[in-house]
């Protein structure tokens, strides 16, 4: 192996998130504009009717990506916003159904040896969820048997409000594990800093979640990770359509997300075996402590993980110059590896995108804004969200782009709020109203040939899929996808903690999987027209139209 590779491993082993604290404080002013929000709960209503225009900006060539990387050169600017991990496309698998997602989680919990890390909005309380908990307990018990190596460590991150709702909830489901395996088990409950004071006292359950939640969906087992928009709940395991991608044996990606979830867990309330909660020593309390201090401290801690990964990428690029001197030697080694069937097949890049606006982190927003304007008139973007509630900024970018757009959302009857009681029951109608306004803008601007809306239909199912597929001009398969928890709406951008990944690939098999995924979802859809809004289920009451401009920022 070439000498620079040994140096790289040495530096990687020394450079840890703890060391990143100093680097974070220095690099923050270069890598990201600071969020100017003051953070007061009283001011939560202030930005509801206005959003900042996306600022056009020019980004220099990104480190670590070369012009010879083919399709990747179209998206190399992403490395200016996020760390990038190069992996074999053959290690990435698209899951297609809720049951496949559920079985993948269960099977990997059972075989995990070192770590299980799961981040979700909540854990349900039904039989299927109990089977998941039982799988975790079996894995923990197995790891305690003599001769099985280090004990398995389990870390679960949920939202405090959603995880505490009702007498039987996520906490009561996990307490038995905490009581039996306290040294191996960690349950963290994130509490938004925006829900505090009088607002926290007066907001009832269910409604308090509208202020902001932990919304990341990451399920990690040793060196494999599933990124999704699905929660750990029975409907997401049976008849609620979402998206799911499994990255198998991708250690660097798994390490990053384990560190990210761990960092969010560090700034969250810790659940104890007696059902009490407390903050880790030295951490600012999210609603009893100072709002600005909590956000600043949490941001620094979480960005330490991001900047550690980015610095490693930068150092790797810096050493490429030294490695050029040994290019001939490495080429010879590569030829030998190919002869032995060990050729470097890392033809895919994975960029983790984090969005935590309450903490001043907006990587995903920056990348999404730029991506929505990429592509010429011959490019096509397929974009989907369970809730059609694009931010005004995203809508403007779509309407001003050159690429064709095919936007898929839930029809009223497959919306998760369809048939709900009270105000929640009006939410599907509010989405219809937003879609009709957007469709009207498309027609008014003469964009009907370029921007198309679709509705997903499936009896007895609900629709929760989100993300996009990017087709470059002249390409019959997508080369990029976004997949994860964001919905492209106001909440995703401004209120919740979100994470997704951008996958950029030249692997034909993976690109075929992505094409099949998007076609499978769109096959169950119909294109929106003026007649769509005349259907009885699309009728919107006057009071819903009046309150939608405010309510759309909370759901």
């Amino acid at each position: 192996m070439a000498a620079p590779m040994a140096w790289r491993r040495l530096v990687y082993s020394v450079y840890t998130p703890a060391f990143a604290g100093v680097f974070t404080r220095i690099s923050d002013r270069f890598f990201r504009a600071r969020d100017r929000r003051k953070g007061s709960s009283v001011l939560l209503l202030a930005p509801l009717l206005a959003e900042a225009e996306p600022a056009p900006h020019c980004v220099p060539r990104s480190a670590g990506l070369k012009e010879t990387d083919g399709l990747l050169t179209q998206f190399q600017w992403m490395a200016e916003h996020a760390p990038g991990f190069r992996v074999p496309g053959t290690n990435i698998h698209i899951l297609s159904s809720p049951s496949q997602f559920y079985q993948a989680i269960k099977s990997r919990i059972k075989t995990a040896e070192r770590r299980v890390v799961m981040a979700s909005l909540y854990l349900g309380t039904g039989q299927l969820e109990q089977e998941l908990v039982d799988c975790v307990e079996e894995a923990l018990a197995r790891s305690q048997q003599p001769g099985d190596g280090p004990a398995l460590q389990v870390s679960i991150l949920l939202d405090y409000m959603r995880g505490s709702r009702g007498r039987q909830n996520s906490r009561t489901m996990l307490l038995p594990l905490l009581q039996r395996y306290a040294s191996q088990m960690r349950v963290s409950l994130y509490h938004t800093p925006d829900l505090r004071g009088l607002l926290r006292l007066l907001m009832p359950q269910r409604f308090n979640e509208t202020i902001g939640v932990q919304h990341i969906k990451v399920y990690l087992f040793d060196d494999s990770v599933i990124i999704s928009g699905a929660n750990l709940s029975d409907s997401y395991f049976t008849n609620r359509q979402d998206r799911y991608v499994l990255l198998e044996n991708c250690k660097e990606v798994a390490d990053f997300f384990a560190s990210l979830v761990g960092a969010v867990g560090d700034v969250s309330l810790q659940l104890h075996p007696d059902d009490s909660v407390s903050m880790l020593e030295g951490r600012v309390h999210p609603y009893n402590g100072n709002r600005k201090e909590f956000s600043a401290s949490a941001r620094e801690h979480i960005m330490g993980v991001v900047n550690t990964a980015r610095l490693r990428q930068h150092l790797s690029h810096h050493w490429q110059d030294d490695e050029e001197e040994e290019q001939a030697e490495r080429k010879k080694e590569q030829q030998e590896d190919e002869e032995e069937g060990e050729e470097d097949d890392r033809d895919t890049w994975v960029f983790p995108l984090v969005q935590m606006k309450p903490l001043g982190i907006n990587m995903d927003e920056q990348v999404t804004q730029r991506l929505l304007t990429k592509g010429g008139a011959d490019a096509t973007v397929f974009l989907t969200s369970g809730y059609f509630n694009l931010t005004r900024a995203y809508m403007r970018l779509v309407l001003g782009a050159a690429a064709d757009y095919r936007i898929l959302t839930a029809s009223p009857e497959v919306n998760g709020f369809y048939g709900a009681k009270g105000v929640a029951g009006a939410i599907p109608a509010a989405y219809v109203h937003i879609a009709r306004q957007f469709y009207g803008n498309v027609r008014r601007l003469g964009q009907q040939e370029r921007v198309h809306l679709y509705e997903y239909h499936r009896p007895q199912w609900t629709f929760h899929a989100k993300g996009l597929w990017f087709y470059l001009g002249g390409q019959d398969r997508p080369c990029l996808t976004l997949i994860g928890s964001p919905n492209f709406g106001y909440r995703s951008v401004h209120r919740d903690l979100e994470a997704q990944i951008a996958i950029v690939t030249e692997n034909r098999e993976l690109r075929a999987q992505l094409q099949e995924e998007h076609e499978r979802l769109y096959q169950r859809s119909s294109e929106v027209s003026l007649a769509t809004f005349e259907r009885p289920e699309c009728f919107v009451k006057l009071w819903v139209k009046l309150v939608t401009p405010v309510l759309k920022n909370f759901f």
Side-chain angles (χ1 to χ4, degrees):
M1 181 62 66
M5 296 300 292
W7 279 105
R8 185 179 305 164
R9 287 196 298 271
L10 175 62
V11 174
Y12 285 6
S13 65
V14 173
Y15 190 82
T16 64
F19 175 74
V22 175
F23 175 76
T24 299
R25 287 191 291 271
I26 297 175
S27 62
D28 279 349
R29 68 178 61 217
F30 298 105
F31 285 142
R32 206 162 320 283
R34 292 190 179 276
D35 186 356
R36 301 298 184 185
R37 294 177 66 237
K38 299 301 182 183
S40 170
S41 300
V42 179
L43 299 179
L44 283 173
L45 297 177
L48 296 187
L49 300 180
E51 294 175 29
E53 290 280 357
H57 54 286
C58 183
V59 181
R61 254 195 89 197
S62 53
L65 308 181
K66 293 183 176 181
E67 293 292 348
T68 56
D69 285 338
L71 288 174
L72 186 59
T73 60
Q74 301 286 334
F75 305 99
Q76 61 182 358
W77 53 266
M78 287 188 179
E80 294 296 329
H81 300 278
F85 302 99
R86 195 168 186 175
V87 302
T90 53
N91 287 19
I92 300 179
H93 310 284
I94 304 300
L95 309 181
S96 61
S97 68
S99 60
Q100 193 177 7
F101 167 62
Y102 181 60
Q103 294 302 325
I105 292 179
K106 287 182 64 178
S107 64
R108 280 160 179 77
I109 289 176
K110 292 178 180 178
T111 58
E113 298 179 351
R114 295 180 290 107
R115 61 185 177 185
V116 170
V117 179
M118 295 192 289
S120 183
L121 175 62
Y122 68 105
L123 170 69
T125 59
Q127 181 59 39
L128 294 179
E129 297 91 324
Q130 185 59 56
E131 291 179 16
L132 270 188
V133 174
D134 293 342
C135 285
V136 174
E137 182 174 14
E138 292 171 10
L140 288 168
R142 184 191 69 244
S143 74
Q144 291 188 340
Q145 296 177 2
D148 276 6
L152 176 71
Q153 296 296 315
V154 177
S155 176
I156 299 178
L157 170 66
L158 306 172
D159 181 71
Y160 178 88
M161 275 83 71
R162 187 61 179 269
S164 304
R165 182 201 292 180
R167 297 184 62 181
Q168 187 178 10
N169 51 43
S170 305
R171 293 164 66 165
T172 59
M173 292 288 288
L174 294 170
L175 281 175
L177 293 182
L178 273 176
Q179 293 161 356
R180 295 172 196 163
Y181 303 96
S183 64
Q184 295 175 254
M185 187 80 183
R186 180 192 190 191
V187 178
S188 304
L189 303 169
Y190 176 82
H191 191 296
T192 177
D194 288 327
L195 185 64
R196 55 177 47 241
L198 189 61
L199 183 66
R200 187 174 189 274
L201 293 175
L202 296 179
M203 287 285 284
Q205 286 191 357
R206 295 180 65 90
F207 290 97
N208 57 13
E209 299 166 28
T210 63
I211 303 304
V213 295
Q214 192 304 112
H215 201 243
I216 297 170
K217 322 294 173 61
V218 171
Y219 309 107
L220 190 152
F221 320 93
D222 289 340
D223 293 334
S224 298
V225 57
I226 296 174
I227 304 295
S228 179
N231 290 304
L232 296 174
S233 180
D234 55 0
S235 63
Y236 291 91
F237 303 149
T238 54
N239 64 345
R240 188 159 172 78
Q241 183 64 59
D242 214 300
R243 297 182 66 208
Y244 337 83
V245 60
L246 167 64
L247 295 91
E248 207 152 26
N249 298 319
C250 296
K251 185 178 186 303
E252 287 185 321
V253 179
D255 287 347
F256 174 86
F257 277 106
S259 298
L260 178 68
V261 173
V264 177
D266 290 343
V267 300
S268 301
L269 293 159
Q270 307 301 304
L271 182 64
H272 301 299
D274 63 354
D275 200 24
S276 64
V277 295
S278 67
M279 294 297 292
L280 293 175
E281 184 177 356
R283 292 291 172 193
V284 182
H285 199 281
Y287 59 87
N288 287 333
N290 181 273
R291 167 67 171 81
K292 293 179 66 174
E293 289 181 5
F294 171 83
S295 295
S297 175
R299 181 187 189 280
E300 180 178 3
H301 190 56
I302 294 168
M303 285 304 297
V305 174
V306 175
N307 287 333
T308 295
R310 296 185 68 190
L311 181 61
R312 287 175 174 174
Q313 177 183 341
H314 175 74
L315 294 175
S316 174
H317 174 64
H318 176 73
W319 280 325
Q320 286 178 5
D321 294 337
D322 296 332
E323 290 181 350
E324 287 178 0
E325 298 177 2
E326 303 183 18
Q327 184 176 7
E329 178 182 349
R330 290 191 290 111
K331 184 175 181 180
K332 180 180 178 181
E333 291 176 357
Q334 183 179 4
Q335 291 174 344
E336 293 174 352
D337 288 342
E338 290 176 355
E339 292 174 0
E340 297 174 3
E342 299 178 355
E343 59 191 80
D344 187 354
D345 57 353
R346 297 178 302 160
D347 50 12
T348 301
W349 283 86
V350 176
F351 297 95
L353 306 175
V354 182
Q355 184 73 13
M356 303 177 179
K357 205 64 169 288
L359 309 181
I361 301 172
N362 62 339
M363 297 162 54
D364 181 67
E365 180 185 13
Q366 292 177 334
V367 170
T368 301
Q369 286 184 351
R370 293 192 65 184
L371 189 59
L372 291 177
T373 62
K374 289 292 179 181
D378 54 353
T380 304
V381 177
F382 290 84
L383 184 150
T384 181
S385 176
Y387 312 111
F388 186 75
N389 190 17
L390 302 183
T391 66
R392 293 183 179 182
Y394 289 168
M395 285 186 181
R396 284 191 292 264
L397 291 174
V398 169
L399 292 174
D404 286 350
Y405 272 84
R406 306 289 186 269
I407 302 174
L408 175 63
T409 187
S411 60
E413 64 271 16
V414 299
N415 188 292
F417 292 97
Y418 188 73
K421 297 180 180 179
V423 176
I427 292 179
Y431 287 126
V432 170
H433 183 54
I434 296 170
R436 184 165 192 166
Q437 289 180 319
F438 179 75
Y439 183 75
N441 287 333
V442 171
R443 290 175 56 85
R444 179 174 56 83
L445 296 173
Q447 301 285 342
Q448 304 95 306
E449 298 301 316
R450 190 182 63 82
V451 180
H452 299 259
L453 282 178
Y454 296 83
E455 282 189 336
Y456 185 89
H457 305 276
R458 194 170 185 178
Q460 307 304 315
W461 280 61
T462 56
F463 184 71
H464 197 246
K466 60 204 70 172
L468 63 77
W469 302 260
F470 199 105
Y471 286 72
L472 287 173
Q475 301 288 333
D476 59 353
R477 293 174 177 174
C479 59
L480 177 147
T481 191
L482 294 183
I483 181 169
S485 64
N487 283 296
F488 304 106
Y490 187 94
R491 281 197 59 171
S492 290
V493 173
H494 294 278
R495 296 188 180 279
D496 298 340
L497 303 194
E498 307 278 9
Q500 65 178 336
I501 57 175
I503 300 175
V504 183
T505 183
E506 293 180 316
N507 184 278
R508 290 193 59 81
E509 181 181 348
L510 177 55
R511 294 176 68 189
Q513 287 188 62
L514 292 172
Q515 179 185 17
E516 292 170 4
E517 180 194 33
H518 115 247
E519 290 179 346
R520 184 167 52 246
L521 293 176
Y522 280 73
Q523 281 174 355
R524 294 184 177 273
S525 71
S526 62
E527 185 168 359
V528 171
S529 66
L530 285 175
T532 302
F533 301 106
E534 302 302 322
R535 303 196 320 256
E537 61 269 28
C538 291
F539 174 74
V540 182
K541 297 179 180 179
L542 177 60
W543 73 268
V544 175
K545 295 180 181 179
L546 295 176
V547 301
T548 294
V550 173
L551 288 184
K552 72 177 184 179
N553 300 287
F554 292 91
F555 56 79

